[in-house]
Amino acid sequence: MDIKEAILTRRSVKHYDPDHTMTKEEVRTLMEHAILSPTAFNLQHWRFINVEDKQLREEIREASYGQAQVTDSSMLLVLCADLNAWEKDPQRYWRHAPKEVQDFMLPAIEGYYTNHHQGQRDECFRSVGIAASTIMLMAKGMGYDSCPMDGFDFDKVARIINLPHDHVIVMMITIGKKLQEARPRSGQLELDEVLFTDKFPDETK
């Protein structure tokens, strides 16, 4: 499947075949491509929890207001981010770069993120959001459907997955073989409502 087809046909699917299992190789292929997603300063903030344990799936389903996709999907990913990735041995993110690049980037990381708590959080959400799109498009290209989720109790899920204190949950994604087609698109805005040239239009005119 080419990238255009993947974008056009990717839909949020909520009804999955509970008997279908993804192979370990498929999961690895999917996630090896996910971690090629770009991140600011190459910090790779994302941390992914692939929930396989059936009892944990049931607990997360309860925390997700009973949504069947949590237990029926072939793969349940909790997408998290390390808020303090920037200060955890940051030279490893640039270990293959020339020394002059390292000498520039490492102080730049420290200078940007030190005492910039909102920036730390914002970058984590941006990075995970980009990775989520990569995951869903890659899954589609592999013949799977998916659904991004934020309809769950974040605090409960954090406890279930033993979320570290300096991490944050951004969303979940279910992946699997669909049993039902997604509903028709409910109403895309026209392109000229969301794309502008140079600046927003002057509302006073």
Side-chain angles (χ1 to χ4, degrees):
M1 181 180 295
D2 67 27
I3 191 65
K4 289 182 181 179
E5 185 180 357
I7 292 171
L8 287 170
T9 59
R10 188 222 60 80
R11 301 298 309 284
S12 293
V13 169
K14 300 179 183 296
H15 302 283
Y16 297 98
D17 179 356
D19 296 323
H20 182 82
T21 301
M22 292 176 68
T23 67
K24 294 291 185 184
E25 291 76 17
E26 286 177 316
V27 171
R28 185 168 185 85
T29 295
L30 176 64
M31 298 314 297
E32 283 179 341
H33 286 80
I35 63 173
L36 298 178
S37 303
T39 58
F41 292 104
N42 198 37
L43 295 184
Q44 302 159 73
H45 314 72
W46 7 254
R47 303 291 181 266
F48 307 102
I49 304 298
N50 179 20
V51 185
E52 296 182 341
D53 185 271
K54 290 185 178 181
Q55 179 57 40
L56 292 182
R57 288 267 202 125
E58 289 290 346
E59 293 177 23
I60 294 176
R61 176 172 174 169
E62 183 179 351
S64 303
Y65 316 111
Q67 295 184 71
Q69 61 177 308
V70 172
T71 52
D72 292 351
S73 58
S74 302
M75 188 175 185
L76 173 66
L77 273 179
V78 186
L79 281 66
C80 310
D82 184 348
L83 293 164
N84 294 323
W86 66 276
E87 62 179 356
K88 296 178 179 177
D89 194 17
Q91 61 267 25
R92 61 194 169 129
Y93 309 129
W94 294 92
R95 63 188 182 277
H96 299 308
K99 185 178 185 304
E100 60 270 22
V101 175
Q102 296 184 38
D103 290 345
F104 173 81
M105 293 303 301
L106 295 177
I109 291 171
E110 182 176 6
Y112 180 77
Y113 288 105
T114 300
N115 296 321
H116 190 190
H117 302 295
Q118 187 64 48
Q120 295 166 18
R121 186 178 179 86
D122 289 349
E123 289 294 0
C124 283
F125 276 73
R126 280 191 281 267
S127 295
V128 172
I130 294 170
S133 290
T134 301
I135 289 167
M136 290 185 287
L137 291 176
M138 184 65 190
K140 190 64 181 175
M142 294 171 63
Y144 286 100
D145 287 285
S146 61
C147 184
M149 294 181 62
D150 65 359
F152 57 92
D153 186 316
F154 281 68
D155 291 335
K156 287 183 179 179
V157 173
R159 289 192 292 271
I160 293 168
I161 66 170
N162 194 31
L163 186 75
H165 73 280
D166 59 352
H167 287 48
V168 61
I169 295 176
V170 178
M171 68 175 74
M172 299 195 301
I173 296 178
T174 54
I175 300 165
K177 290 291 187 179
K178 65 185 176 185
L179 288 179
Q180 298 180 24
E181 294 291 337
R183 295 174 180 172
R185 294 187 185 276
S186 55
Q188 299 299 120
L189 295 176
E190 295 296 330
L191 188 58
D192 60 11
E193 289 189 62
V194 298
L195 175 65
F196 309 107
T197 301
D198 295 330
K199 61 179 68 176
F200 280 93
D202 187 349
E203 298 291 349
T204 63
K205 292 183 179 178

